[in-house]
Amino acid sequence: MKNVVALILAGGQGTRLGVLTEKIAKPAVQFGGKYRLIDFTLSNCVNSGIYKIGVLTQYKPHLLNQHIGIGKPWDLDRKDGGVTILQPYYTEKKGVWYNGTADAVYRNIEFVDDYNPEYVVILSGDHIYSMDYNELLDYHKAKSALATVACMEVPLSEASRFGIMVTDLENRIIEFQEKPKQPKSTLASLGIYVFQWSFIREVLIEDAKNDQSSHDFGKDIIPKIIQTERVFAFPFDGYWKDVGTIYSYWESNLELTRPIPPFNIHDENWRIYTHSKEMPPAYIADSTKVKNSLISEGCEIYGAVSNSVLAQGVEIGKGSVVKNSVIMSNVRIGENCYIENAIIAENVVIGDFVKIGVGEFAESKLNKKVYNSEITVIGMDSIIESKVEIGKNCVVGIDKIVNKNLNSGEYI
Amino acid sequence: MKVLGLILAGGKSENLGKLVYKRASAALPIAGKYRAIDFTLSNMVNSGIIKVGVLTQYNPRSLMDHLGSGKEWDLDRKKGGLFILQPYIGFSGEYWYKGTADAIFQNMTILRRGEEDYVLIGSGDHIYKMNYSDLYMYHFSKGADITLVTKELDDTYDISQYGSVVVDENMKITQFYEKVENPPTRRAFLGIYFINKHLLMELLYSTVPNGGNDLLLDVILPRLDELNVYAYDFKGYWRNIKKGIDEYFKINMDIINDRNVREELFYQNGKVYTKLKDFPPAKFTSNSEVINSIVADGSIISGSVKNSVLFRGTIVKAGAKIENSIIMQGTVIEEGAVVKNAILDKDCHVREGQVIIGEDELVVLEKRTII
């Protein structure tokens, strides 16, 4: 894989994750206990033998930059290659933000040119999946393609959320519909592309000159190149998820706690690497019940936990009950609390006798598009004082102090 | 703080029996994810010592594998860093280390070359957390030539197994009783030395070539009258796994049963660093019943676990029962098996329905045992 460069698009905000991405980029959101979303794609790269990686950042990149560092946890601290953070930069004339996915790659042509690769793989930093990119590349080569798009069959009801491919018998893409109202097929693009670098380089330069283009791979580049070039669909049938919404984020975390989870994080031959804190093993105290849960290092559990994912360094006090929830790192929950259907972000401190996720569902008063399930979300670094009761579908922002009850649907 | 750290990790420690058939005692896995040497090594790094020599001799493979380039302790450095000091064949013959003084003497180059003024000598077998900067200041303020770290041992320790120290009102050591019955004090030497480097070099040059191979007995104790040897009082948790399998077991149980011990060892005075393994978080299924135990990453638990330590990547299947036991990395306990009062070394496999119970003493299963 010496002639491959991977570019990971990690600049998106992920607006539908609401308060979870208010302070950090979506690829930096914690997932599955000890990971952050970008770990899955980075691990796929190194497990596939790709060691030349650029991570394109834009939206609130601090935590992401800190997480990736020089890439040591992924063995990406290398003499040749390694990981490079590519942020928007100032040129002689003016500073420009990345204006679409294709534009972001266009602005880093020099970075890729330095490696002079034959292929470039364009990936997304916020998807959860295991894929051996060798298979994708072999397919690309076998088909003598100029571009290959990894695709997956999706249910017809969901097809309108994706870019949909229509292929011929040979799997060549003959038509592309971006988020169609009436999809012509159920073969969806996963936003994972392989290109012949010399080819896509010219296409990107051409596209940059076009004022009409929105400079997006899905909307502009793919529909354009399929008209004239050999572009193929690579069929992927493994687990793949874009945790775009609060509900799907919560659900795909909880899926990991099932007896046979759809996505296997325990695969010894496909380890997921991350930058984790050095912490002692989890301690589970007397008189506790921990069922169907993932518990990370550094947890101290004196209460009961079921169907939940706990990240590193979570403390749950005596008599507290945590159900169907995602608890991120260093959250401290006091004694005799009851927490259900919640996502609690990093470093939140919760007092004693607090209830979260109680009462009847009510529509969100903050944003119905983002908060539309029973899940209550508590933002980073907030404090919930003792005896506070918080209903369903509530939102607590970042760095807030909550000292009064919140009814379902309310926010602070 | 310009201090050279030396860790003695070459001993055979027969008391640990099967647990050290294939490893040095400093490499003995402990507390779910660590090896014994992690504590002293992390103490050094956390105290700002960035040049550390590890003296190895007995069964060093797993220890070397564990230490690697020293990356996990931030010891992969241009300046300072980690040095593995093993016995070697020289121009004039082969030299196994004949004792602690001899081991250091044979590696005189590391003492001669550095710019450090002091040497801290610790052991790879001790479980404790200590900030050596305090020791440094103490040594300085006492104007000591040598400072030995000591601790007033309570009656959970067998004092006849330790060196007992008599001090005057200034904490200067006046007498030393090495492993005697009924010593006059319960102040024991913990095997941690702080010494001026040039003095150490001089002492070694004058002692080792004359057949004195032990740092304590041959180099320091005969000179108690002429040198200023002071005792530093350590008040924290300190245990030596070398004392035997029961002691090793007890340390693990202390970590489970006493939150203060966990707090002191893992969160105070910096962290304990160890080799990363990149396991996913531990998984508890709907049948799991875990009580008063520590569980490391990568474990999958469907059975019942009580008062036990589960290392990384252990698997406890449904209906299996584990009690008062230490289960090391990669060991699998199949359905319905019972393990009680036992230490199962790495990669053991206990088949369905098998029963392993230690009655009067702990059962120890060697690495890769299949039952």
Side-chain angles (χ1 to χ4, degrees):
Chain A
M1 300 293 262
K2 287 216 146 185
N3 52 0
V4 182
V5 169
L7 294 175
I8 302 177
L9 304 169
Q13 182 183 356
T15 41
R16 285 176 308 152
L17 285 179
V19 71
L20 297 179
T21 53
E22 199 177 305
K23 208 173 166 183
I24 58 178
K26 187 177 162 195
V29 172
Q30 289 193 343
F31 186 88
K34 66 189 285 194
Y35 308 105
R36 294 189 189 271
L37 288 175
I38 197 164
D39 293 339
F40 298 90
T41 304
L42 275 176
S43 301
N44 282 341
C45 286
V46 295
N47 284 330
S48 303
I50 300 176
Y51 291 104
K52 293 166 184 166
I53 300 171
V55 178
L56 288 76
T57 61
Q58 173 151 293
Y59 175 80
K60 299 197 173 166
H62 307 99
L63 188 61
L64 191 60
N65 291 351
Q66 199 188 1
H67 180 67
I68 296 173
I70 57 166
K72 211 164 154 177
W74 302 270
D75 269 351
L76 286 168
D77 50 335
R78 303 200 150 235
K79 301 221 163 169
D80 184 20
V83 63
T84 310
I85 306 272
L86 302 169
Q87 60 223 358
Y89 53 89
Y90 212 87
T91 64
E92 305 80 40
K93 292 176 201 130
K94 55 177 180 169
V96 236
W97 297 109
Y98 294 149
N99 191 8
T101 51
D103 181 58
V105 176
Y106 165 76
R107 290 185 191 283
N108 290 291
I109 281 180
E110 277 181 29
F111 167 79
V112 182
D113 276 349
D114 274 349
Y115 288 121
N116 191 23
E118 197 168 350
Y119 309 100
V120 58
V121 184
I122 310 285
L123 305 165
S124 185
D126 47 16
H127 296 163
I128 295 156
Y129 65 112
S130 295
M131 185 191 282
D132 188 343
Y133 300 130
N134 288 300
E135 289 174 23
L136 175 63
L137 272 147
D138 287 348
Y139 186 88
H140 175 83
K141 289 177 211 167
K143 293 284 184 186
S144 308
L146 285 175
T148 301
V149 183
C151 298
M152 187 174 73
E153 290 288 344
V154 295
L156 187 61
S157 57
E158 285 187 28
S160 55
R161 285 178 42 216
F162 291 93
I164 294 297
M165 314 283 169
V166 182
T167 57
D168 67 10
L169 290 173
E170 214 198 343
N171 259 356
R172 182 171 167 180
I173 300 170
I174 48 175
E175 202 182 331
F176 182 91
Q177 302 173 292
E178 178 69 8
K179 296 182 182 162
K181 291 223 168 63
Q182 282 161 333
K184 286 185 182 170
S185 102
T186 54
L187 193 62
S189 164
L190 304 182
I192 300 166
Y193 312 101
V194 189
F195 298 107
Q196 222 67 24
W197 175 241
S198 54
F199 160 72
I200 198 65
R201 195 180 181 280
E202 297 310 312
V203 175
L204 290 172
I205 293 171
E206 202 58 39
D207 178 73
K209 292 180 194 151
N210 182 356
D211 293 341
Q212 306 299 313
S213 171
S214 58
H215 311 298
D216 187 272
F217 278 104
K219 286 191 200 110
D220 310 290
I221 305 292
I222 302 295
K224 183 170 172 245
I225 60 176
I226 58 169
Q227 290 166 13
T228 52
E229 309 297 342
R230 287 173 65 80
V231 180
F232 282 79
F234 169 74
F236 179 69
D237 56 4
Y239 178 93
W240 176 93
K241 201 142 202 175
D242 174 7
V243 282
T245 64
I246 298 262
Y247 183 82
S248 74
Y249 171 80
W250 173 84
E251 188 193 30
S252 31
N253 265 289
L254 263 52
E255 273 175 0
L256 298 173
T257 68
R258 289 193 200 148
I260 299 171
F263 182 66
N264 183 9
I265 53 172
H266 280 84
D267 188 347
E268 274 180 43
N269 299 319
W270 204 268
R271 281 270 159 80
I272 301 150
Y273 301 100
T274 186
H275 174 91
S276 59
K277 293 254 157 58
E278 184 60 68
M279 286 198 166
Y283 173 72
I284 320 290
D286 226 341
S287 72
T288 62
K289 294 185 180 97
V290 182
K291 308 264 185 197
N292 285 332
S293 296
L294 288 183
I295 311 285
S296 305
E297 290 178 329
C299 289
E300 291 264 335
I301 299 175
Y302 296 85
V305 181
S306 60
N307 301 316
S308 297
V309 174
L310 271 57
Q312 285 192 311
V314 172
E315 190 179 322
I316 296 180
K318 230 177 182 173
S320 288
V321 175
V322 175
K323 273 184 191 172
N324 306 329
S325 295
V326 180
I327 317 284
M328 299 193 203
S329 55
N330 301 321
V331 168
R332 312 224 148 223
I333 297 173
E335 296 182 357
N336 302 304
C337 295
Y338 182 88
I339 293 166
E340 193 175 359
N341 298 339
I343 299 171
I344 301 181
E346 296 165 56
N347 309 324
V348 167
V349 177
I350 294 176
D352 301 332
F353 298 98
V354 170
K355 288 183 179 159
I356 296 176
V358 290
E360 293 301 313
F361 171 82
E363 271 189 0
S364 178
K365 290 177 179 153
L366 179 62
N367 185 338
K368 275 182 243 171
K369 268 194 180 147
V370 174
Y371 305 101
N372 49 18
S373 64
E374 296 213 329
I375 298 153
T376 284
V377 187
I378 316 282
M380 254 183 207
D381 303 324
S382 286
I383 297 169
I384 317 282
E385 291 189 355
S386 290
K387 295 180 187 161
V388 166
E389 291 192 13
I390 296 176
K392 292 189 165 81
N393 199 21
C394 291
V395 183
V396 172
I398 285 168
D399 238 338
K400 298 278 191 275
I401 295 174
V402 186
N403 48 20
K404 61 176 178 55
N405 294 352
L406 290 181
N407 293 324
S408 293
E410 289 187 334
Y411 67 95
I412 188 164
Chain B
M1 191 159 105
K2 282 192 175 158
V3 178
L4 167 70
L6 291 178
I7 301 179
L8 305 170
K12 193 171 170 191
S13 336
E14 272 144 3
N15 296 339
L16 289 168
K18 286 180 188 167
L19 295 175
V20 291
Y21 277 2
K22 294 211 172 99
R23 59 168 76 91
S25 53
L28 188 58
I30 189 163
K33 67 180 285 198
Y34 304 98
R35 289 186 190 261
I37 197 171
D38 292 341
F39 290 85
T40 298
L41 199 50
S42 301
N43 282 341
M44 289 188 173
V45 172
N46 289 333
S47 307
I49 298 176
I50 59 161
K51 185 169 172 189
V52 179
V54 178
L55 293 125
T56 68
Q57 170 151 290
Y58 173 77
N59 261 343
R61 190 209 58 86
S62 55
L63 186 63
M64 308 277 262
D65 176 35
H66 181 68
L67 296 174
S69 64
K71 169 168 145 174
E72 316 287 358
W73 298 269
D74 273 348
L75 286 173
D76 53 336
R77 289 176 174 261
K78 302 214 168 174
K79 202 177 163 79
L82 181 71
F83 295 82
I84 307 282
L85 306 173
Q86 60 209 14
Y88 51 87
I89 298 176
F91 185 72
S92 48
E94 298 174 19
Y95 303 102
W96 291 108
Y97 296 154
K98 292 191 280 286
T100 46
D102 182 46
I104 300 171
F105 180 71
Q106 290 199 37
N107 290 290
M108 198 56 95
T109 320
I110 196 172
L111 295 181
R112 210 182 294 129
R113 275 205 183 141
E115 49 171 1
E116 298 83 12
D117 300 318
Y118 300 94
V119 184
L120 175 76
I121 302 167
S123 162
D125 310 304
H126 298 168
I127 308 302
Y128 68 109
K129 202 66 171 295
M130 182 172 171
N131 186 345
Y132 299 131
S133 321
D134 300 342
L135 174 61
Y136 176 80
M137 287 314 293
Y138 180 87
H139 181 84
F140 222 64
S141 66
K142 289 285 181 190
D145 295 318
I146 300 171
T147 302
L148 302 182
V149 178
T150 63
K151 178 178 166 64
E152 197 79 45
L153 297 186
D154 61 34
D155 47 20
T156 60
Y157 299 79
D158 174 7
I159 187 74
S160 68
Q161 294 296 309
Y162 299 85
S164 163
V165 172
V166 180
V167 294
D168 69 10
E169 67 281 3
N170 288 321
M171 291 296 278
K172 187 169 184 297
I173 298 175
T174 53
Q175 282 165 307
F176 195 108
Y177 298 87
E178 175 66 356
K179 296 181 185 166
V180 295
E181 292 291 333
N182 305 315
T185 72
R186 291 197 70 87
R187 177 169 297 283
F189 172 45
L190 302 186
I192 306 161
Y193 309 77
F194 197 88
I195 181 165
N196 296 28
K197 189 175 85 175
H198 290 282
L199 173 67
L200 175 66
M201 289 167 70
E202 236 173 76
L203 293 175
L204 290 174
Y205 273 123
S206 63
T207 316
V208 179
N210 301 324
N213 291 322
D214 192 89
L215 183 61
L216 181 70
L217 301 178
D218 301 326
V219 179
I220 297 176
L221 294 189
R223 297 181 175 91
L224 267 191
D225 293 340
E226 41 193 283
L227 296 171
N228 286 321
V229 184
Y230 279 84
Y232 175 84
D233 183 42
F234 180 62
K235 290 207 162 54
Y237 183 87
W238 178 91
R239 289 276 172 183
N240 182 357
I241 57 165
K242 250 188 189 164
K243 297 296 169 204
I245 293 177
D246 286 344
E247 185 80 356
Y248 166 75
F249 190 79
K250 184 183 180 326
I251 300 168
N252 282 282
M253 292 303 140
D254 285 347
I255 291 168
I256 294 177
N257 292 324
D258 191 341
R259 189 173 185 178
N260 294 329
V261 172
R262 283 204 297 285
E263 197 72 38
E264 180 183 333
L265 288 181
F266 300 126
Y267 295 102
Q268 287 170 14
N269 287 320
K271 291 182 169 163
V272 185
Y273 299 96
T274 190
K275 188 175 172 184
L276 280 178
K277 289 276 167 80
D278 296 291
F279 279 106
K283 184 166 182 173
F284 294 66
T285 73
S286 55
N287 296 318
S288 74
E289 275 177 43
V290 180
I291 293 174
N292 194 39
S293 295
I294 61 175
V295 177
D297 271 4
S299 305
I300 303 179
I301 306 166
S302 310
S304 93
V305 178
K306 198 175 167 186
N307 305 333
S308 296
V309 177
L310 297 190
F311 275 74
R312 293 186 280 200
T314 50
I315 295 175
V316 181
K317 298 204 175 160
K321 278 195 168 62
I322 296 176
E323 207 180 318
N324 292 326
S325 295
I326 297 170
I327 313 292
M328 292 192 199
Q329 188 180 316
T331 287
V332 179
I333 317 286
E334 298 273 6
E335 280 88 351
V338 177
V339 176
K340 206 172 159 183
N341 305 331
I343 301 173
L344 274 54
D345 208 322
K346 285 166 110 178
D347 299 318
C348 284
H349 197 121
V350 181
R351 293 215 183 96
E352 280 171 43
Q354 292 292 326
V355 177
I356 298 168
I357 297 181
E359 299 289 356
D360 297 329
E361 57 181 70
L362 296 160
V363 178
V364 180
L365 293 192
E366 234 182 293
K367 197 171 170 180
R368 282 194 276 278
T369 305
I370 298 172
I371 285 197

